[in-house]
Amino acid sequence: MQIRPRLSALLLTVAACCSGAVAPTPTRVPAGGAVASAAPAATSVGLGILKAGGNATDAAVATALALAVVHPVAGNLGGGGFAVVRMGGEVAALDFRETAPAAARADMFLGADGRPVAEKSLVGPLAAGTPGSPVGLFELHRRFGRLPWRRVVTPAIHLALRGFKVNARLRAELEFGRELLSRFPETASVWLPHGRVPAEGTLIRLPRLGAALQAYAERGPQALTGGSAAAAIERTVKKYGGVLTAADLAGYRAVWRVPIRFPLAGWEVASMPLPSSGGIILGQTAGVLERLGWASLPADSVERDHLLVEAWRRAFADRVLLGDPATTRASEGDLLAAPWLDRRAAEVDRSRATASRDVASWQPAPRHELPQTTHLSVVDGAGNVVSLTTTLNGSFGCGVLVPRLQILLNNEMDDFAAAPGSPNLYGLVQGEANAVGRGKRMLSSMSPTVAWRGDDVIALGSPGGSRIPTATSQVLLAVVVDGQGLERAVAAPRLHHQWLPDEILAEPGALAAAGLDELRRRGHAIRSVDRLGEVHAVRRTAAGVLEAVADSRGPGSAATTQP
Ligand code: DON
């Protein structure tokens, strides 16, 4: 595991420098709306689609495709993601998570000594899961979009063909990812022209990606996952020792899932179910805090911080049981059931930290004995919301670019437990349910979330691996429980705890000196970190006021159509 810190530095750029033929729904949408995403060019694409009469789904898909061009560190076609939407009152969750290729094996990331070799699950195409984004973004639009598919893809085609300028963020990310990118000549020739990180202001044109997007606009996902495109992906993967095949690509399916839903301070919240742990962690956190009377404690108090951390500690202890929903023994129903939340709340000592080693995960009752990421949020003039998180996992994924398509492949296989019990890129300790297995979806922490109370509606989410559900829950609690404005809630310094390692991570300013001392006295270990997550959120109030906030932790961009 010594390789982890170096690889983390290499791959976690986001954390470091920033982040079928059914007719589209014909509902008329009042013009306007708001978009928040990681890149100004992508946000303005989304806003343009809203102004052209597109709904929140049209704008979200167009923004995601623009990110696939201008935000290579994370925005993707070679990865996967999740979307939680509330469209016309319908609440739905789309799972377009990558899957393990058919040739994946439980021991594929272990060395001769039986221990995980991080390099294998992080660098090069063995680390790549079967991409889900081409099918997923198309499916999201098919079900909820209003504008023609081609119209939604066109702005990304223009960005790729006409070009876009390298901004400070992209330059910093390329600088940070340089070592990884330069390992693969095909990748370097595109993103490190002449072996150098392009200067700010350099015009980047991606003609092959533009052509691939054009084919996608004309023929749908088949243009990227079948025929000569699939053959090209398989060729590049094979060249560097990967196992992903054209058959894996052809067999990929996105899945509509039932969102995790829970009440919070008079609001309804919907978030992502398995194969993401995000919604379960958010739901457990809300349920335990409600039982502990968290809302009535003073804001910014040590009492609140202590209880929040104790709730997260327990939610992440249960995460160890989770994986692909097809093979997970602990169901969402078990982990969000009132008796279990009652018990978790009762276990919390209000004056002492519980050591993580003393927090046992949920157990089935005996009678049940059984064998780098980017988030965008959009709201339209009708109050429809889309919360969408996509990821390549580490920055620039596994580093390999398919030259014919100029698409970077993910390294999502690292989200599996290479050896159950040993930590992954995010230090997460995971269990058997998340062991590598052919066709399985690797467990995620991504938490695209929407919440509403009457006509007041918000959408939010974040990148940041294991920090995603904790960053998302803090902003949600601040807005929903404390009635804070979106901007203040997103800007507020954050904390994080994930059961193991047993420590609180704290951003500068998250804890006053007295609070720090008091938490230490209660038995918490505390470590400062620069930043936790990068939340992009939008809101449309019941009065029709639009808000869009890009987290100041990164150079994202937010805009509304209101003056
Ligand atoms: O699915 C997950 O939980 C991770 N692959 C997310 C990675 C991520 O957020 C990278 N950005 N910092």
Side-chain angles (χ1 to χ4, degrees), residues 40 45 72 99 133 153 199 237 326 376 407:
V45 162
T99 53
S133 291
V153 186
V237 163
L376 66 96
I407 288 175

Side-chain angles (χ1 to χ4, degrees), residues 14-15 97 372-373 391 393 412 415 426 444-446 463-465 468:
V14 176
R97 182 69 161 167
Q372 227 151 344
T373 304
T391 185
N393 193 34
E412 221 72 58
D415 274 356
Y426 301 97
S444 173
S445 303
M446 293 190 283
I468 295 172

Side-chain angles (χ1 to χ4, degrees), residues 192-206:
L192 300 172
H194 316 293
R196 284 195 293 273
V197 173
E200 223 178 305
T202 307
L203 186 73
I204 302 273
R205 284 205 184 92
L206 300 167

Side-chain angles (χ1 to χ4, degrees), residues 55-75:
N55 65 18
T57 293
D58 296 318
V61 172
T63 305
L65 291 172
L67 287 168
V69 179
V70 303
H71 191 50
V73 70

Side-chain angles (χ1 to χ4, degrees), residues 12 62 79 99 108 121 143 159 231 259 275 305 318 325-326 356 381 422 427 439 448-449 473 499 515-516 555:
L12 264 176
T99 53
M108 69 191 281
S121 60
R143 178 154 172 202
L159 279 169
D305 291 343
D318 286 344
S356 285
S422 34
T449 298
S473 55
W499 180 51
L516 197 79

